[in-house]
Amino acid sequence: MGWLRWWGRGGRAPETLRTGTENLFSGGTAGVVFQGRDITVQLPATLPAAVAGLDPVPPAFAGREEERDRLVALLAPDGGEGTGSGGCVPVNVTGLPGVGKTALALAAAHAAVAAGAFTGGAIAVTVHGYDDERTLTAGQILESLLRGLGIPGEKIPPTEQDRARLYRDLLQKMTQQGHRLLVLLDDVSAAEQVAPVRPADDRHALLITSRHVLNSLVGTTVPLAELSGEPAVELMARTLEQTRPGDRRIRREPEAAARVVELCGGLPLALRITTAVLAGSPERSVSTLADELARTDDRLALLADGERAVTASFELSYRHLRHSGGDGAARLLRLLTADWGTDLSTAAAAALAGEQQVRVKHLLSTVLARAHLVEEVEPDRWRMHDLVRLYVTSLAEDRATADADERGAAVERLLQHYASLDGPGTGHTEHLTPAPAHWLPLGREHAGLSGAFAHAVARQDHALVLRLAGRAYRAAVISGDPARAQEVARAGFVAARRLADFDAQGHMLMFEGTAYGLLDRPTEAIRSYRRAGTNFRKRGVHAMEGVRLLRSGETHLRVRQPSQACAALRLAVRLARRAEDRRLEARCLDVLARALDMVSDDLSVPVRRAALPLLDALGDTPAVAETRAGLADNLGNLGQCAEAAHEAQTAVEIARRTTDRHALATALSSLGTAETRCGRHRAATEAHREALGLWQDLRLLRDSANSQGDLARALSLSRRHHEALRHFKDAGSLLRAVGDAHAEGSLLIGLADTLVRIDRSQEAVRTCRLALSRIRSRDGGGGCVRCEVLGLEGLAEALASQNQHDEALRHCDEAVSLARRRSLAAVLADVLSTRGDILRQAGRPDEALPVLLEARSDHRRLADAHGEALDTVRVGSVLWRLDRREEARGEMAAAVSLSEALGAEYLHVLAGKRLREMKAAGPDGGSHQEPKRVPVTPVDFVPNQKGIRVRLGCA
């Protein structure tokens, strides 16, 4: 059947339908009133299906394909059969004015009819529900539908009730003839406009668009959000190309187009208007239009093209709000724009309105949110679309004279609300970490608190500035805005000085120092801490002075000044003990251990062991896990691999009992490193991969980069070299982005080792030299001797793989000398082992044997079983070259047993293979060379206890 689309009242059905439709009435008449006993509707014998009753879909429809398909599925479930057992369930598409509800409904209706779900076609009526002058009543809607269904105007009953009865009879006849009809009601404002039109048979469908959620209408609501990202840009591009074929300005300037989308709030109506503006100005670039939208004080004025305007859509919604919601809702909407944030809490809205929260929440949720003038972004937090905010702000400005006193009083109430927010105290514990977890709720109030603080500063209300400063600072830190936090702390200090509040001055200086630290400006941070220290010492506040020293020590540690850090932290520990503050003492011990990590692991171990019982007593489980993870790293660095693995595993088990992802990621990273040191590369890979996922979820770039480097090393040791190279590359990019030259140098050592493994020795040499330059540079800290030793060792291995044995030995000797000078026993044992293996490769087995025996002795003394097993393999290889075959076989058999007990898979396989080859060579015959073998890789590697590879060279 060819259904017609009627927008409003009046109109005539097409002649083909009017002549094919006959309405028979039996009964009598009294003047103009029909006294009918029966009404018989006879439809044409054949009903041609068509969609002439629908406007076409906008030509540049884009970004709503998923929503369109969902609507089609809702309108025609189970292939559009229906059961006829109950009334149809209306589908209501709701959303902000201009969000694209009509375009989506039309697209879905056309798609449903084209799919054969509605053999009777579709008919649509625009209700104009938000325009008081044009709104259709239910009776007028029925009249339009009846005309579209082929009923001549003179045959349409005059009352709404009779029209509804005739409408239902028509739908029943269609059902009997096997036809389904889709009815679209556009721009509905009330459920009363829908009820008489709702088909009584579920084989027909009713699709509605409304700016409101029609709660009293039983049906399915489909909320429609604004467009964002690529779909929004694609909508603009298609619209422009439809208007001006070949115009690719949007596609040539996608970044500028994305700015336009952001400035339009992703509202499709606004995007179509801005695109029309571009179409009318072929010489205007997209970036120029974006700049104009960003600069103008009246953005809404630009969002009009003569035929359409965003303001007009909002005006209709506002009028309807005043008519249906009363002055209370309209007043609240205007007052909401007085807040400084992009969203606000119910409590803040209640402060603005000067009313009870229950009443305000009712207006927000049942009136404004239903009208899509605000949206609830999370429980009890509300946001207004940017363009709606601009429109409502213009309303408030128009009413400035009438509302001036009320708006001023509302702002005062809002200031007092922000100044009295429940927040943390001002004790010394607030400074133990840069952003304690109990600050988190204030993060949601960052924009509002920041605006309130700026307002108080502008009017020089020092007392109010000081009340707001602590809260605004904490909110800025939690929100990741340290620059704003520093500005707040500085202004707070000025206010405290004006009020002669010495306690507040000290706190504000501490806050400023922490903010400078977060901004990676350590010099200014240390200066602020020193000024705070003068304040605390004068007043004899020992706990605060201890915290000040703690934060100062952390700052020195961040710039790799371990001696200054240790001096400050040792004094902080003494002050914490004098104040009997266990939490502060535990925190100071933790940071002191990290500072000592840069000096000597021997010194770090007792400090961490001292911190553990304090943390246990405090019930700080995440800190216990992280401290045990640090202890595992220390033990591993000291060559105590088995104990390190045990501590790391314990740390992981403890962390998994908490919800602290940072603690779990730290523990997993330590476990991966410990497993690598023990030669269990598969387990190491799994641990590092899980840790990397957690660091990335936490969005901590530096930790993510270090974790990715650890994963790359584990993959390389598992002989997955190309995957390892990819992770090395990604980790290097991240470390360069955060400017950590020292960590980049350590990463490059591991990369060089992998390059040697895949026979790219020249690149490995260059990479090692670059690693050493990074580690020794000022930016790299210039103070990590262990890393420098490992870099020299890696360079020696790379040179040896190119048969440059003399130069390799020179660098090895330099590494040995440096390790002896700084008493790095575990590292010294590793380097001696490497030096002995290079001597073996150089054909100097007599010199190699005593060096390897010394290395093995050192590893055994350090209880480093993995290092001992590796040395034993190397000793066996040297003895074989010296033609001491039985001794060589005995050493290799011992290496097999040691590696098996350790679970070091690759080392066990390598030692077993060597032993079999030695046994196959017989007791006497053969050369003095090692047995011929086929290496798995160009050069065989096993890990040392640092997780940095040492070379086990080929014969």
Side-chain angles (χ1 to χ4, degrees):
M1 183 173 185
W3 305 113
L4 297 182
R5 187 183 202 326
W6 298 97
W7 293 98
R9 301 172 63 184
R12 289 176 59 80
E15 190 65 25
T16 57
L17 290 180
R18 288 192 296 110
T19 57
T21 304
E22 185 178 359
N23 306 310
L24 304 178
F25 297 85
S26 62
T29 63
V32 296
V33 179
F34 286 93
Q35 293 180 334
R37 187 179 73 247
D38 300 305
I39 302 176
T40 302
V41 180
Q42 294 182 351
L43 296 174
T46 303
L47 300 174
V51 288
L54 297 174
D55 273 357
V57 181
F61 182 78
R64 301 291 196 196
E65 291 78 9
E66 184 176 338
E67 291 91 340
R68 177 198 61 200
D69 294 343
R70 183 189 173 198
L71 280 182
V72 171
L74 287 170
L75 292 170
D78 302 322
E81 292 299 323
T83 65
S85 59
C88 82
V89 178
V91 178
N92 183 16
V93 180
T94 67
L96 195 67
V99 81
K101 301 180 294 295
T102 301
L104 174 62
L106 286 171
H110 276 277
V113 172
F118 297 97
T119 55
I123 186 168
V125 176
T126 296
V127 179
H128 299 295
Y130 297 88
D131 188 337
D132 294 339
E133 297 178 358
R134 302 168 65 195
T135 301
L136 300 184
T137 64
Q140 292 168 334
I141 296 169
L142 286 165
E143 180 185 355
S144 294
L145 289 172
L146 289 171
R147 289 179 182 275
L149 290 171
I151 305 300
E154 65 272 15
K155 301 295 185 181
I156 295 176
T159 66
E160 177 185 321
Q161 185 177 4
D162 289 336
R163 289 176 180 178
R165 187 179 297 115
L166 178 57
Y167 169 73
R168 286 194 294 272
D169 287 342
L170 287 169
L171 294 187
Q172 185 179 1
K173 290 290 185 182
M174 291 184 66
T175 302
Q176 292 170 357
Q177 294 188 16
H179 294 290
R180 300 185 71 242
L181 176 68
L182 171 61
V183 178
L184 168 58
L185 296 185
D186 187 40
D187 204 22
V188 172
S189 62
E192 294 77 16
Q193 296 166 331
V194 178
V197 180
R198 179 181 175 182
D201 191 312
D202 71 350
R203 280 170 285 203
H204 303 293
L206 177 60
L207 178 59
I208 303 162
T209 71
S210 177
R211 302 179 187 189
H212 281 75
V213 176
L214 305 175
N215 288 334
S216 60
L217 181 70
V218 178
T220 302
T221 300
V222 179
L224 193 61
E226 304 87 74
L227 286 173
S228 61
E230 292 183 7
V233 173
E234 182 64 22
L235 172 64
M236 293 181 65
R238 290 188 190 179
T239 304
L240 184 59
E241 290 165 2
Q242 180 71 26
T243 308
R244 289 177 53 83
D247 192 332
R248 299 182 60 82
R249 276 178 287 171
I250 299 291
R251 301 194 188 280
R252 285 197 300 268
E253 297 184 74
E255 293 181 0
R259 284 180 59 211
V260 172
V261 170
E262 183 179 356
L263 291 165
C264 291
L267 198 65
L269 174 61
L271 296 177
R272 290 184 184 278
I273 291 172
T274 54
T275 307
V277 171
L278 280 175
S281 303
E283 72 289 345
R284 183 182 296 184
S285 67
V286 183
S287 56
T288 300
L289 177 61
D291 291 341
E292 291 172 359
L293 287 169
R295 283 197 304 266
T296 182
D297 294 331
D298 190 6
R299 192 184 309 165
L300 291 174
L302 284 178
L303 298 178
D305 63 356
E307 298 179 2
R308 298 164 294 183
V310 172
T311 304
S313 295
F314 293 158
E315 177 68 24
L316 291 176
S317 289
Y318 182 70
R319 284 184 197 169
H320 186 269
L321 176 69
R322 296 190 65 183
H323 176 72
S324 62
D327 287 338
R331 170 180 173 271
L332 176 61
L333 183 67
R334 295 194 303 274
L335 288 177
L336 291 180
T337 60
D339 186 69
W340 299 277
T342 55
D343 61 84
L344 80 168
S345 65
T346 302
L352 281 167
E355 298 183 25
Q356 294 294 320
Q357 284 194 43
V358 174
R359 159 73 176 160
V360 170
K361 185 168 184 178
H362 171 76
L363 289 174
L364 287 167
S365 60
T366 63
V367 181
L368 297 180
R370 277 186 57 215
H372 294 281
L373 293 171
V374 300
E375 63 174 324
E376 192 171 14
V377 291
E378 59 181 89
D380 276 328
R381 291 204 69 81
W382 310 88
R383 183 182 77 89
M384 195 182 295
H385 188 279
D386 290 347
L387 297 182
V388 174
R389 176 178 286 276
L390 287 174
Y391 170 72
V392 176
T393 301
S394 70
L395 289 178
E397 290 171 352
D398 291 342
R399 295 174 54 93
T401 303
D403 290 351
D405 293 340
E406 182 180 34
R407 196 172 181 84
V411 170
E412 288 300 321
R413 291 192 297 269
L414 186 62
L415 287 169
Q416 295 306 315
H417 162 75
Y418 281 127
S420 61
L421 278 177
D422 290 337
T426 55
H428 69 277
T429 56
E430 297 306 305
H431 302 279
L432 284 178
T433 60
H438 60 270
W439 290 10
L440 286 174
L442 285 175
R444 300 183 183 92
E445 307 291 348
H446 172 42
L449 276 166
S450 183
F453 184 80
H455 187 86
V457 170
R459 70 185 200 185
Q460 298 185 358
D461 187 339
H462 302 306
L464 182 60
V465 167
L466 210 52
R467 288 180 64 197
L468 288 166
R471 293 170 174 82
Y473 169 85
R474 296 171 177 107
V477 170
I478 288 295
S479 300
D481 190 357
R484 180 58 180 160
Q486 186 273 322
E487 293 170 1
V488 168
R490 171 52 38 185
F493 173 76
V494 171
R497 191 167 56 186
R498 295 283 177 86
L499 296 171
D501 188 334
F502 298 106
D503 182 61
Q505 288 179 45
H507 282 289
M508 290 300 133
L509 286 169
M510 287 292 293
F511 283 146
E512 184 179 51
T514 302
Y516 276 131
L518 293 171
L519 288 167
D520 203 19
R521 294 163 63 180
T523 303
E524 291 99 323
I526 291 170
R527 183 165 57 243
S528 294
Y529 289 139
R530 283 175 181 163
R531 294 181 65 189
T534 302
N535 176 293
F536 299 141
R537 286 192 296 274
K538 281 182 179 178
R539 296 187 295 117
V541 187
H542 299 305
M544 278 304 303
E545 173 63 0
V547 175
R548 195 274 305 180
L549 288 166
L550 166 67
R551 305 299 294 146
S552 182
E554 285 181 318
T555 306
H556 283 297
L557 183 59
R558 187 176 296 115
V559 294
R560 300 189 180 278
Q561 296 175 346
S563 58
Q564 295 94 320
C566 290
L569 291 163
R570 286 193 173 101
L571 181 55
V573 171
R574 289 200 293 271
L575 288 172
R577 288 171 176 165
R578 184 187 303 178
E580 297 183 352
D581 190 326
R582 289 178 141 196
R583 188 173 298 278
L584 175 58
E585 182 185 353
R587 177 69 180 150
C588 292
L589 287 171
D590 174 61
V591 181
L592 176 59
R594 287 194 279 125
L596 290 169
D597 286 343
M598 299 180 65
V599 180
S600 170
D601 290 286
D602 288 322
L603 299 175
S604 301
V605 169
V607 173
R608 284 198 166 94
R609 292 197 190 280
L612 280 173
L614 289 173
L615 295 169
D616 273 326
L618 292 168
D620 193 343
T621 308
V624 170
E626 294 198 12
T627 301
R628 285 193 176 277
L631 182 59
D633 289 336
N634 293 142
L635 293 170
N637 288 339
L638 292 170
Q640 301 172 38
C641 301
E643 191 176 351
H646 173 72
E647 285 290 349
Q649 185 62 54
T650 303
V652 170
E653 291 169 1
I654 293 171
R656 289 198 192 280
R657 295 199 294 267
T658 74
T659 57
D660 193 310
R661 291 185 296 169
H662 189 283
L664 179 57
T666 302
L668 284 165
S669 294
S670 292
L671 178 61
T673 302
E675 295 288 9
T676 298
R677 286 165 172 149
C678 291
R680 297 189 283 265
H681 309 315
R682 259 181 255 167
T685 299
E686 292 173 6
H688 283 312
R689 201 180 292 280
E690 185 179 355
L692 176 59
L694 289 168
W695 290 126
Q696 289 174 336
D697 288 344
L698 292 167
R699 298 182 181 179
L700 296 174
L701 295 184
R702 193 186 306 268
D703 294 296
S704 296
N706 289 329
S707 184
Q708 200 155 25
D710 291 336
L711 175 59
R713 293 184 182 101
L715 288 167
S716 180
L717 289 168
S718 300
R719 300 187 292 282
R720 295 158 66 177
H721 305 305
H722 294 292
E723 189 177 352
L725 288 175
R726 178 170 57 81
H727 283 289
F728 274 126
K729 180 180 178 182
D730 293 343
S733 298
L734 281 175
L735 289 172
R736 283 190 292 277
V738 299
D740 192 335
H742 178 272
E744 185 187 355
S746 298
L747 181 79
L748 289 169
I749 297 171
L751 173 59
D753 174 75
T754 302
L755 290 170
V756 172
R757 286 170 171 268
I758 57 177
D759 205 21
R760 290 161 61 176
S761 302
Q762 288 185 341
E763 291 178 63
V765 170
R766 290 195 299 270
T767 302
C768 276
R769 294 190 192 280
L770 180 60
L772 282 168
S773 70
R774 291 282 192 273
I775 292 167
R776 290 165 171 168
S777 69
R778 182 177 179 181
D779 291 339
C784 185
V785 178
R786 180 185 294 108
C787 293
E788 185 174 355
V789 172
L790 292 174
L792 288 166
E793 181 189 15
L795 178 57
E797 292 169 345
L799 289 165
S801 68
Q802 292 185 299
N803 294 320
Q804 299 180 40
H805 297 116
D806 291 339
E807 188 176 355
L809 287 169
R810 279 198 300 274
H811 288 294
C812 223
D813 289 341
E814 184 181 353
V816 168
S817 175
L818 194 54
R820 287 191 196 279
R821 197 162 60 244
R822 298 302 295 268
S823 301
L824 301 175
V827 179
L828 175 61
D830 294 340
V831 178
L832 284 172
S833 182
T834 299
R835 185 175 188 276
D837 194 56
I838 293 173
L839 286 167
R840 178 189 64 80
Q841 293 175 64
R844 296 154 64 179
D846 290 329
E847 297 176 59
L849 184 60
V851 175
L852 288 170
L853 289 172
E854 181 184 357
R856 184 167 66 175
S857 175
D858 288 347
H859 280 132
R860 188 175 292 157
R861 178 173 51 81
L862 293 167
D864 183 353
H866 188 274
E868 182 183 350
L870 171 61
D871 294 335
T872 302
V873 172
R874 288 175 166 172
V875 167
S877 298
V878 170
L879 288 171
W880 187 269
R881 284 202 172 199
L882 292 172
D883 204 22
R884 295 161 60 176
R885 302 213 167 179
E886 286 305 317
E887 293 178 73
R889 292 188 186 100
E891 293 288 349
M892 208 60 72
V896 169
S897 299
L898 279 171
S899 57
E900 183 179 17
L902 282 170
E905 304 102 333
Y906 184 52
L907 183 56
H908 179 63
V909 170
L910 184 62
K913 183 180 179 181
R914 292 272 183 101
L915 179 59
R916 288 191 300 274
E917 291 170 344
M918 287 179 177
K919 288 180 177 179
D924 298 316
S927 69
H928 293 276
Q929 301 298 315
E930 293 179 53
K932 186 177 180 180
R933 58 193 174 84
V934 180
V936 177
T937 57
V939 182
D940 289 323
F941 285 84
V942 291
N944 69 4
Q945 60 268 36
K946 294 301 178 203
I948 307 292
R949 262 53 55 210
V950 291
R951 180 168 170 275
L952 181 60
C954 298

